Amino acid sequence: MNEYRSPRVALLGAGSVGSQVARLLLERGDEYEARVGARLELAGIGVRNVSARRDVELPQELFTDDLEKLVASSDIVIELMGGIEPARTLLLGALKAGADVVTANKALVAAHGPELHEAAATVGAQLSFEAAVGGAIPIIRPLDASLAGDRVNRVMGIVNGTTNYILDKMHREGASLEEALRVATELGYAEADPTADIEGFDAASKATILASLAFHTTVPVESVYREGITGVTADMVAQAEKDGRVIKLLAICERVNGSGGERVNARVYPALVAADHPLAAVHEAKNAIFVEAEAAGDLMFYGAGAGGIETASAVLGDLVSLARRHIAGGPGTAVTPTANLTIAPMEEVVTRYQVTLEVRDQPGVMSRLAGLFGDSGVSMESIEQRSSDDESLATLVVGTHAAKEADLQSVITALAEHSDVVSVSSFVRAEAV
Ligand code: NAP
């Protein structure tokens, strides 16, 4: 039997995820050895504060604050610190020196993926990031490898557990956004500063990663259209319930075919989903990603999108797979774009909409407003009138057929200026209805 040198593994970060990775790596050493064919040696754990209390008990002698030195002496580097720097510099250094890298850092992969992939490809090292989207859910490898022989047309997912928890609570309990956010913070689902989650930045990072993999092209994070959930009101949720729908924060990546040829679009916003669509059944802080592929048809990936131990599962899966390759030898398989698709701007996206208006309740108002929609090329599918506390006013809820975003925005502008209209209370896109 061949004798292999144990791959030296550097772990950067020992927080929620890192401490669980370290624990499992130490406790399950024999199992990993059997699966890999060599013992994985945890060479050290890089942190800021070597004497801080950790979620789990770990050997103190493993801790160091000299991350550069630790990285330089390792075959595989696992980055679980978060943030852009110093993670970016450390990982570029590791890859350039030929080490393989595992990271769960979606912000880093979204903003600097091409640079990291190129560094890996140049030396034949491997960069793996299964945990960067969907926590424990296997979605990166399915898109990159399992579906490599297919053509993915659309990826639509709930990729942020915090906002799903908040919206789910608003639906189930009629809670306001503020109340649901307060509970999410108390339970540890939301961070003290929830901006990255509720404004959709986290989901946009994940949309970039999913779109780039699904369409084998580069989708810069700056090109992702982003709206968070802060505009979602209890009224909008109640109307959705009444219509047999739910509001979910969706990350949508799709091929857009039109006069500009084939392009791609990635976007994040709260959208209406039919109550019987599989994504509507994703409750609490769970994540799910719905993939539409030409040959495979519809696929759904569901599970825990976050959590220390859950995310550790994805990280350790990457580690075992990298370690096997390390033992087998040969270069890694870098993720390199094979298509060069341009980005279709949000204005060209086609979807359905629901617009809620406060109007003056006077004869002919419905037909005048229908004309206004039609003038902008947007066809109404439904219109519902609700009474208002003020007898001189009425609330209209208008559903549209599929229309171009630019046309819908023209309608919104025209409505806001129309003498029959007191206010446009809300508009929400309908994606899976
Ligand atoms: P965390 O609990 O905040 O832990 C971060 C760890 O990194 C800490 O041990 C910290 O050291 C260390 N660290 C941070 N900056 C450092 C620096 N400049 N130098 C040295 N050490 C540094 O983070 P986490 O929740 O485990 O998340 C880690 C990564 O996984 C992030 O990229 C995150 O986006 C991703 N992720 C997390 C989850 C989840 O459920 N938590 C899910 C999916 C992906 P000290 O303890 O000494 O301060």
Side-chain angles (χ1 to χ4, degrees):
M1 188 179 154
N2 288 329
E3 279 300 315
Y4 297 103
R5 184 171 76 78
S6 295
R8 282 173 58 82
V9 178
L11 176 60
L12 310 182
S16 314
V17 186
S19 57
Q20 295 297 337
V21 167
R23 177 178 71 78
L24 289 169
L25 202 45
L26 295 170
E27 283 177 13
R28 306 259 166 92
D30 293 346
E31 280 179 49
Y32 296 139
E33 182 172 359
R35 287 174 207 169
V36 167
R39 189 108 193 143
L40 296 175
E41 184 198 341
L42 181 54
I45 305 174
V47 291
R48 270 181 300 223
N49 178 1
V50 292
S51 49
R53 256 181 73 87
R54 302 289 158 191
D55 292 353
V56 297
E57 212 166 296
L58 297 165
Q60 187 57 39
E61 64 276 13
L62 286 177
F63 284 91
T64 175
D65 57 9
D66 191 344
L67 278 67
E68 254 178 69
K69 189 170 165 207
L70 175 62
V71 165
S73 65
S74 300
D75 303 303
I76 300 175
V77 176
I78 304 177
E79 186 272 310
L80 298 169
M81 297 190 291
I84 303 296
E85 290 293 355
R88 173 181 158 272
T89 302
L90 285 163
L91 296 192
L92 281 173
L95 290 167
K96 284 176 185 165
D100 291 330
V101 164
V102 179
T103 180
N105 192 333
K106 55 246 164 183
L108 180 66
V109 177
H112 296 281
E115 182 185 22
L116 292 164
H117 289 308
E118 198 189 317
T122 305
V123 297
Q126 177 104 29
L127 171 69
S128 297
F129 48 97
E130 183 61 72
V133 181
I137 306 170
I139 182 63
I140 299 298
R141 201 164 286 120
L143 284 176
D144 184 42
S146 320
L147 289 165
D150 207 330
R151 184 180 168 82
V152 174
N153 287 322
R154 200 161 196 253
V155 179
M156 181 164 74
I158 295 168
V159 292
N160 182 272
T162 306
T163 46
N164 201 56
Y165 179 86
I166 292 170
L167 293 172
D168 193 44
K169 197 166 177 64
M170 291 174 75
H171 270 282
R172 288 185 180 204
E173 297 172 18
S176 67
L177 182 92
E178 293 70 25
E179 170 64 4
L181 173 59
R182 190 184 59 71
V183 176
T185 312
E186 270 171 24
L187 295 177
Y189 289 127
E191 310 228 351
D193 176 1
T195 311
D197 292 324
I198 65 173
E199 296 292 359
F201 289 103
D202 175 78
S205 290
K206 292 164 178 170
T208 298
I209 297 172
L210 291 173
S212 300
L213 284 171
F215 309 130
H216 309 278
T217 190
T218 302
V219 178
V221 68
E222 306 79 47
S223 73
V224 178
Y225 177 83
R226 177 190 53 78
E227 271 177 39
I229 62 164
T230 49
V232 179
T233 62
D235 265 2
M236 289 163 72
V237 168
Q239 178 67 37
E241 289 273 332
K242 202 164 153 288
D243 298 340
R245 295 164 169 184
V246 292
I247 299 179
K248 294 288 189 191
L249 183 72
L250 298 181
I252 301 161
C253 315
E254 66 185 4
R255 293 184 193 269
V256 176
N257 289 296
S259 52
E262 182 168 77
R263 289 172 296 165
V264 293
N265 174 273
R267 54 194 192 270
V268 169
Y269 45 61
L272 294 167
V273 172
D276 59 359
H277 189 278
L279 287 176
V282 179
H283 296 295
E284 303 256 307
K286 288 284 197 290
N287 281 197
I289 297 135
F290 196 77
V291 178
E292 297 171 27
E294 205 170 79
D298 294 348
L299 304 166
M300 177 129 140
F301 301 82
Y302 168 86
I309 183 125
E310 293 88 344
T311 307
S313 161
V315 171
L316 287 159
D318 277 348
L319 173 64
V320 167
S321 138
L322 287 190
R324 282 176 176 156
R325 192 195 66 75
H326 187 85
I327 299 301
T333 48
V335 176
T336 36
T338 51
N340 189 15
L341 300 172
T342 50
I343 309 295
M346 187 59 198
E347 296 73 42
E348 292 183 29
V349 164
V350 173
T351 186
R352 291 160 68 185
Y353 300 84
Q354 187 176 76
V355 184
T356 305
L357 309 164
E358 288 293 318
V359 299
R360 286 176 234 290
D361 197 3
Q362 48 203 11
V365 62
M366 293 253 209
S367 65
R368 284 194 292 279
L369 293 180
L372 184 151
F373 275 75
D375 289 348
S376 293
V378 179
S379 148
M380 280 186 179
E381 186 192 34
S382 62
I383 183 160
E384 183 201 333
Q385 177 164 352
R386 289 192 299 177
S387 58
S388 170
D389 293 343
D390 181 338
E391 278 186 10
S392 67
L393 301 180
T395 301
L396 296 185
V397 183
V398 179
T400 77
H401 287 291
K404 224 187 215 185
E405 176 80 15
D407 294 339
L408 192 279
Q409 292 301 341
S410 303
V411 169
I412 300 286
T413 307
L415 284 170
E417 290 166 359
H418 198 281
S419 57
D420 284 331
V421 177
V422 178
S423 66
V424 179
S425 329
S426 68
F427 89 94
V428 60
R429 298 171 185 91
E431 284 293 338
V433 293

